[in-house]
Amino acid sequence: MSDFLASLTQVQQWISSLAARYTVFFPTPHGEANYRFTAIGADDDVRFAPYRPTITPPVKLLVPAREELFRFQHKEDGDLLLSPSVDSSFRVIAGVRPCDLKGIFLMDLFFERGVADPYYLARRENTAIIGYACTTPCTDRVFCAAVDSLDHRQGADLFLTPLASGEILVEANTERGIGLLDSTDLPPCEDGPARKIGAIAARPETYGRSFDADVQSLSGIVEQYWDSPLWDKHTERCFSCGTCNLVCPTCYCFDVRDNLALDTVSGSRTRTWDGCMLPGFAQVAGGHNFRPQPAGRQRHRVKRKFEYLPTKYGHGPVCVGCGRCGRQCTVDIDIYDIVHDLIEGGKS
Amino acid sequence: MKPKIAFFDFASCEGCQLAVLNCEDILLDILELVDLVEFREAISEKALRYDVAFVEGSIHRDEDIARLRDIRARSTYLVALGACACNGNVQARSNFVAPAVNYAEVYGEAARNRVQVDPEHWPLWAHTRVRPLDAVVKVDAQLRGCPMVPSEFLHLVKSLLKGTQPDFPAVAVCTECKKNENECVFDRGQTCMGQITWAGCNSVCVNNGYVCDGCRGILPDANLAAHLQLLREHKVAEADIRSRYRLFCGAEPIGRGV
Ligand code: SF4
Ligand code: SF4
């Protein structure tokens, strides 16, 4: 739509200033070695570097870990009163990296298609996103380039690209994005597209970890595996804790339950994050568990990310290569290593 | 008719019963719906049959076994209340020390001699093997934790009132930690029992800057070999590992080293 130029300081100050008007989330240092998307105050220090993927991805702001869907009450005359709890408050998520932007793009598909999810869509519609390009791999775990998410831009209202000159290229992609810039007085940039190409060319040639197979071939490779000792190899130490699911920007499964009030006729229905690595995930009424072993669960998880959902949606791997799962698994089970082994195994 | 509810305790600090009393804002409403017939902490009435018995504490002596069996026989539904009743808790550490050593340590040499020579005290001497309730009788539900978690207590009470199956998912504390977006204890350079411990506490210890010590007991399908290896990789000394596993779970297979 339109491009502007700004200094890093200008951009950082502008984001702080947005926090005086709106609820703004930004990746904020947490603990000894982590970041979390946290609501910032107008006086907070906004700094784009250093960065490593937040503990949970920004999509947590669109599908919270726990949310109330509606309240209910059975009346004595047989009527059922329902009051939905849709959240349509306006927020800004700033500093969203390309992998997480791709994650949100995919989540948009999952929650729109089929049975549209009003809770997700209400939040999504009222969330402005300010993306930020990466220039160097943020950790040694990432493989975003190998799964085609490093250059993802779609879904951001504004997208910021740091240039070699030290300036920031500000791309406004939506009216809402332009609106967020109204308090600034940034000069337009005429040669935005050329500068973007320049910024991409200035990145290291091998960006993060790569696969010895191109991205289009991945689903075909993964499809070849069903009975394979590789699933056992990559779950031998698994705790079935579900961390890999819960920290993933493209895992969307949830569990729904009712919380009764003491009168046992009223209460609320809530949903919470669920995950296919958790032992009871595929257990059905009557007690049968379709995937009682971690290896079967791991196969399912990898196939969802690299075979089933790519085939269903046609937007490439449903893993954005952020490396969160591998880094946060306490026993170092890394989806990159699994896919790497599948590629290797297929060759021999 | 209102369900008859009773509370009993064995070896414990009675902190779980206190935690029940601490559900102040809803306790009176609950009492409207049930008939509380036995609760040493609050009342002194007695009854012959109970619809639901909440039993706190671990089982040590022969007379404890007899008393627990009697409670079981008179109860339709029996709930193990808290870590002592569910997994033996810290007192199960005494399973690994000869009684004579424990007596001398706690009460001094004189007391140790007395239990040996005075028949009045022999039952004490004959103590003990600390066990959770389900090592002795059938347990219908477990309210885990030291102390038990009020929200789980309420969930159980509501489920029983409604006649539905209470649901305590067998997932690890890590699951709750991630939902709470805690920094992993391992990222802080510490180690944790969260991977193999029953969730349900909302990862309260890690939320508050501590680590999970496993008070809620070990998950049924926990990968114990992987956990042992993990602690070793993080250079935890063998004696410390043993002590850690026995802190709350000395009466469980992990604490016994099997
Ligand atoms: S994070 Fe690691 S241990 Fe936990 S379920 Fe995933 S692969 Fe298994
Ligand atoms: S599967 Fe792992 S690397 Fe891929 S998007 Fe999810 S958390 Fe990131």
Side-chain angles (χ1 to χ4, degrees):
Chain A
M1 225 165 152
S2 24
D3 297 336
F4 304 90
L5 270 183
S7 71
L8 182 61
T9 326
Q10 267 176 320
V11 168
Q12 292 176 163
Q13 283 172 353
W14 160 69
I15 290 176
S16 302
S17 77
L18 287 178
R21 291 154 67 194
Y22 311 112
T23 308
V24 178
F25 294 90
F26 191 80
T28 309
H30 172 71
E32 314 228 337
N34 284 285
Y35 288 80
R36 301 198 287 198
F37 276 91
T38 309
I40 55 166
D43 300 326
D44 287 355
D45 201 17
V46 167
R47 294 213 308 137
F48 273 102
Y51 172 84
R52 77 197 290 190
T54 46
I55 299 172
T56 58
V59 77
K60 72 169 182 181
L61 300 165
L62 302 173
V63 200
R66 307 171 179 87
E67 75 176 308
E68 182 179 289
L69 301 177
F70 54 79
R71 287 165 183 267
F72 58 83
Q73 188 174 11
H74 287 277
K75 308 291 278 184
E76 269 173 27
D77 58 12
D79 263 10
L80 175 64
L81 291 185
L82 292 180
S83 41
S85 329
V86 176
D87 175 6
S88 43
S89 57
F90 181 73
R91 295 82 68 79
V92 178
I93 315 179
V96 178
R97 305 289 172 140
C99 56
D100 285 342
L101 200 55
K102 170 98 179 273
I104 292 172
F105 166 82
L106 291 166
M107 288 297 219
D108 288 350
L109 298 176
F110 305 152
F111 282 96
E112 257 163 34
R113 300 243 182 114
V115 182
D117 187 291
Y119 303 96
Y120 180 91
L121 295 178
R123 287 203 184 85
R124 180 66 183 96
E125 216 168 282
N126 293 292
T127 302
I129 295 180
I130 304 175
Y132 189 85
C134 296
T135 47
T136 49
C138 58
T139 71
D140 55 10
R141 294 269 186 184
V142 300
F143 51 103
C144 44
V147 289
D148 255 0
S149 67
L150 179 58
D151 289 317
H152 186 92
R153 300 292 180 264
Q154 210 176 327
D157 295 273
L158 292 163
F159 197 86
L160 312 174
T161 306
L163 303 172
S165 60
E167 292 161 303
I168 307 283
L169 176 70
V170 181
E171 279 172 74
N173 298 326
T174 64
E175 288 297 338
R176 182 161 66 189
I178 295 198
L180 289 177
L181 289 171
D182 65 3
S183 62
T184 67
D185 176 20
L186 300 176
C189 173
E190 302 306 332
D191 56 348
R195 286 183 184 248
K196 268 179 269 173
I197 292 169
I200 288 173
R203 283 192 317 229
E205 199 165 328
T206 334
Y207 193 100
R209 298 188 287 179
S210 56
F211 289 131
D212 201 3
D214 62 49
V215 65
Q216 287 82 12
S217 67
L218 293 177
S219 76
I221 293 170
V222 174
E223 199 189 335
Q224 292 162 23
Y225 291 88
W226 186 256
D227 288 322
S228 164
L230 288 176
W231 309 122
D232 297 296
K233 173 185 166 196
H234 289 286
T235 41
E236 206 193 317
R237 302 184 66 197
C238 179
F239 291 117
S240 300
C241 69
T243 291
C244 47
N245 296 131
L246 302 172
V247 303
C248 177
T250 67
C251 275
Y252 54 80
C253 291
F254 54 80
D255 191 19
V256 173
R257 58 186 61 210
D258 288 345
N259 309 303
L260 287 179
L262 209 48
D263 61 15
T264 69
V265 293
S266 66
S268 64
R269 179 162 293 180
T270 55
R271 69 169 162 198
T272 55
W273 293 346
D274 203 346
C276 59
M277 291 303 286
L278 296 173
F281 183 82
Q283 188 168 345
V284 292
H288 182 71
N289 192 335
F290 285 93
R291 292 189 286 275
Q293 297 302 328
R297 298 197 282 270
Q298 188 69 277
R299 172 174 65 200
H300 180 77
R301 169 173 169 252
V302 173
K303 282 183 170 270
R304 290 284 286 183
K305 302 276 178 220
F306 285 91
E307 179 190 336
Y308 305 155
L309 295 179
T311 309
K312 181 170 174 190
Y313 289 95
H315 282 281
V318 174
C319 161
V320 298
C322 66
R324 281 184 176 93
C325 54
R327 189 180 82 75
Q328 295 188 65
C329 173
T330 49
V331 285
D332 222 358
I333 297 170
D334 192 326
I335 199 163
Y336 171 86
D337 296 331
I338 304 176
V339 174
H340 179 271
D341 277 6
L342 298 179
I343 295 168
E344 286 296 303
K347 281 187 190 151
S348 58
Chain B
M1 226 178 54
K2 292 181 182 178
K4 281 189 169 42
I5 305 255
F7 284 81
F8 302 95
D9 47 73
F10 289 86
S12 63
C13 75
E14 297 183 17
C16 288
Q17 292 182 68
L18 204 58
V20 170
L21 292 179
N22 279 343
C23 301
E24 291 158 339
D25 40 343
I26 195 165
L27 199 59
L28 291 178
D29 298 331
I30 295 177
L31 290 176
E32 299 264 299
L33 302 170
V34 303
D35 205 359
L36 187 59
V37 290
E38 218 160 301
F39 194 1
R40 207 161 56 79
E41 289 262 321
I43 58 167
S44 55
E45 221 180 305
K46 305 261 174 200
L48 281 174
R49 284 207 61 84
Y50 318 106
D51 292 299
V52 185
F54 289 92
V55 183
E56 187 194 70
S58 53
I59 304 305
H60 297 212
R61 305 160 303 175
D62 291 348
E63 61 250 53
D64 296 340
I65 295 177
R67 183 173 159 234
L68 178 62
R69 287 195 175 132
D70 175 56
I71 295 169
R72 175 71 264 191
R74 293 195 283 134
S75 314
T76 309
Y77 196 89
L78 188 141
V79 182
L81 182 65
C84 305
C86 293
N87 42 280
N89 211 343
V90 288
Q91 54 269 38
R93 289 175 82 99
S94 69
N95 288 356
F96 304 97
V97 187
V101 177
N102 273 336
Y103 268 93
E105 177 82 17
V106 178
Y107 303 110
E109 282 301 321
R112 164 187 176 147
N113 294 336
R114 199 157 101 223
V115 290
Q116 274 178 306
V117 297
D118 182 351
E120 280 278 292
H121 289 83
W122 284 355
L124 287 176
W125 183 240
H127 158 75
T128 81
R129 184 161 63 82
V130 179
R131 276 152 290 188
L133 305 189
D134 66 1
V136 177
V137 295
K138 175 172 170 276
V139 170
D140 298 301
Q142 287 165 312
L143 288 174
R144 296 173 173 279
C146 181
M148 68 104 201
V149 177
S151 61
E152 290 196 313
F153 170 72
L154 291 176
H155 170 68
L156 178 65
V157 168
K158 290 172 189 173
S159 306
L160 292 174
L161 286 170
K162 178 87 177 162
T164 55
Q165 187 74 30
D167 181 21
F168 301 108
V171 297
V173 172
C174 296
T175 311
E176 291 176 334
C177 241
K178 293 303 161 301
K179 290 183 184 177
N180 290 324
E181 208 175 4
N182 286 330
E183 173 165 73
C184 181
V185 159
F186 286 80
D187 276 351
R188 305 196 311 236
Q190 293 165 290
T191 55
C192 194
M193 293 273 286
Q195 294 87 352
I196 53 173
T197 301
W198 273 92
C201 52
N202 193 28
S203 63
V204 59
C205 292
V206 186
N207 302 354
N208 288 288
Y210 190 55
V211 308
C212 174
D213 270 338
C215 78
R216 294 178 54 87
I218 304 300
L219 281 163
D221 292 320
N223 191 341
L224 301 184
H227 196 261
L228 181 62
Q229 194 187 346
L230 179 65
L231 293 185
R232 285 179 176 155
E233 279 167 10
H234 282 80
K235 308 264 181 298
V236 184
E238 293 299 312
D240 293 339
I241 294 176
R242 207 175 312 123
S243 175
R244 195 102 174 260
Y245 285 166
R246 285 179 185 172
L247 182 54
F248 288 103
C249 299
E252 300 285 284
I254 193 176
R256 301 200 303 268
V258 292

